[in-house]
Amino acid sequence: MTDPDLLRRGELSLHGRLVAASNGTFQGSVSLDGESATVVYKPVQGERPLWDFPDGTLAEREYAAYVVSEALGWSVVPPTLLRDGPLGEGMVQLWIDEAELPAGETELVDIVPQGRVPKGWVGVLDALDGRHNPVTLVHAEIDALRRMAVFDAVVNNADRKGGHVLNPGDGRVFGVDHGVTFNADDKLRTVLWGWAGEPIPGELLDDVRKLADQLAGQLGADLCELITTVELTATRERCAALLKTGIFPYPSDDWPAIPWPAF
């Protein structure tokens, strides 16, 4: 993985804007001492205000999600930091190239004809596609996505789209776009509901327990530079709830369960 010093100190140059993003998002590169890496840069000044995330910045929440991912030891989020750039302070994150899939293989989150959930996959939602054909939203039944589902529950991710699940093809799976996380209200919205109500593997609960201990100490103090104390308290409460129930959470009745669009 790229040296964090390269992300922190490298000269940041912009290649172009990602026009599909709802906030100012740029692809660029960082270069230092003959090394370079492709990155995503999201300047704070390019953020659109959100009524339900009035405190702090989306960039700070993105970085806070990375901090929690590292504290868990899961590396769900690509290397991320806050730094200055051509358009001011923002979030800089290592760009993850997805693998070109062999013929017949699909992404880790997909749409299949209704009633045809492949072996090794989990059905999430039955619906109609744009041509009114019955389809099922599915995701792969793999440990990397189980970790991501628990991570999303911890950080209260309100936007886990299928397109935010990246597969570089080397056994790792990364999640991106964590600007709408850590809200004090239950806003979990994800395409990874396939295990709702099932037991969380014990090793994942052990990691959540260790995280909860850290949140009561220096890690919590560090996160309060990025999110509010109320949001930190809510994060600790979510950890406690996962440890108490020991199961993957169910969707809330008070909030849309699936992000739209789902990809």
Side-chain angles (χ1 to χ4, degrees):
M1 189 60 75
T2 299
D3 184 347
D5 205 41
L6 177 59
L7 293 183
R8 184 177 301 108
R9 297 176 49 235
E11 181 180 356
L12 176 56
S13 303
L14 303 186
H15 300 164
R17 182 168 182 171
L18 304 181
V19 295
S22 56
N23 294 281
T25 304
F26 299 83
Q27 186 189 58
S29 61
V30 288
S31 302
L32 179 69
D33 297 335
E35 287 190 73
S36 64
T38 305
V39 297
V40 175
Y41 167 54
K42 298 182 181 181
V44 171
Q45 72 172 24
E47 297 179 3
R48 296 191 303 173
L50 298 175
W51 66 268
D52 52 345
F53 287 84
D55 301 304
T57 66
L58 304 185
E60 288 173 326
R61 294 174 187 278
E62 293 242 26
Y63 180 54
Y66 170 71
V67 170
V68 169
S69 167
E70 292 302 289
L72 284 163
W74 295 351
S75 297
V76 174
V77 183
T80 306
L81 50 75
L82 295 173
R83 57 162 286 180
D84 196 27
L87 299 176
E89 184 181 67
M91 184 280 293
V92 174
Q93 184 176 84
L94 183 67
W95 178 275
I96 302 297
D97 284 315
E98 290 202 85
E100 185 174 342
L101 297 173
E105 290 193 19
T106 63
E107 300 290 348
L108 297 175
V109 181
D110 204 0
I111 300 289
V112 299
Q114 203 169 106
R116 299 185 187 176
V117 178
K119 184 178 180 180
W121 290 65
V122 187
V124 175
L125 174 73
D126 291 332
L128 299 177
D129 67 10
R131 297 182 178 180
H132 300 284
N133 297 312
V135 295
T136 301
L137 173 66
V138 298
H139 63 70
E141 192 169 14
I142 59 175
D143 290 342
L145 289 187
R146 285 186 178 87
R147 285 193 296 271
M148 188 175 291
V150 176
F151 169 77
D152 285 342
V154 169
V155 302
N156 198 15
N157 190 357
D159 196 29
R160 176 63 72 207
K161 293 181 171 71
H164 297 169
V165 179
L166 304 184
N167 176 15
D170 58 5
R172 298 175 299 171
V173 177
F174 292 102
V176 296
D177 284 346
H178 298 107
V180 286
T181 47
F182 295 102
N183 201 295
D185 297 326
D186 181 9
K187 291 186 178 290
L188 182 58
R189 188 165 54 178
T190 176
V191 294
L192 302 179
W193 288 116
W195 298 293
E198 294 187 12
I200 298 173
E203 62 271 20
L204 300 188
L205 288 175
D206 288 342
D207 291 338
V208 172
R209 186 172 293 105
K210 294 173 186 175
L211 175 68
D213 291 340
Q214 294 180 73
L215 290 175
Q218 187 58 49
L219 177 63
D222 293 342
L223 284 174
C224 279
E225 299 294 321
L226 305 169
I227 61 176
T228 68
T229 55
V230 173
E231 290 166 338
L232 174 65
T233 298
T235 303
R236 295 177 63 185
E237 290 173 348
R238 288 191 296 273
C239 289
L242 290 172
L243 294 171
K244 180 179 180 179
T245 65
I247 64 172
F248 288 91
Y250 290 101
S252 169
D253 293 331
D254 302 323
W255 179 251
I258 306 289
W260 189 258
F263 288 87

